[in-house]
Amino acid sequence: MTPVAADLRLSAQRALLGAIYPEVRMVKVRRDGSLITFTAICHSPFSDDALDALTTATAEIAADFPDWEVDYHIVGSNDPLPKEDILTEGWLFQRAEPSVR
């Protein structure tokens, strides 16, 4: 798998300006063919304001790529974040969290 294309990464980063509420733990974006997948994991429960900001960000990404379909997943979870290759999975943001010992 290859890293996320620069134009998609920059579009998502621009769309996320001002959209990262304190409960947002991780955000990533990927493209597979003509499908863009936007995923955000928030501390559960998360606010309506955070949900509105993240769904607005996905709409802005969709506007930048009108020929592609955008699928988004915004979930609440207090589980550990996934262990995966952050470049190929398109991670854009990860909140600093204290490590559990």
Side-chain angles (χ1 to χ4, degrees):
M1 183 84 56
T2 58
V4 173
D7 59 343
L8 177 55
R9 182 177 291 279
L10 290 172
S11 170
Q13 288 173 333
R14 180 200 46 78
L16 288 167
L17 288 173
I20 303 295
Y21 279 72
E23 58 265 43
V24 177
R25 300 178 64 209
M26 183 270 292
V27 178
K28 64 181 179 177
V29 65
R30 293 187 59 207
R31 177 179 170 227
D32 185 18
S34 62
L35 175 66
I36 295 171
T37 303
F38 178 94
T39 304
I41 298 176
C42 298
H43 186 84
S44 187
F46 55 93
S47 68
D48 288 341
D49 289 339
L51 179 61
D52 289 345
L54 292 170
T55 55
T56 298
T58 62
E60 291 179 17
I61 295 167
D64 287 343
F65 301 95
D67 296 332
W68 299 351
E69 179 183 352
V70 177
D71 185 25
Y72 69 92
H73 307 274
I74 301 169
V75 297
S77 174
N78 298 329
D79 294 336
L81 293 174
K83 302 284 187 216
E84 56 192 11
D85 184 325
I86 63 172
L87 289 178
T88 60
E89 292 301 318
W91 286 42
L92 300 167
F93 171 81
Q94 179 182 355
R95 178 177 79 179
E97 297 182 346
S99 58
V100 178
R101 295 179 194 230

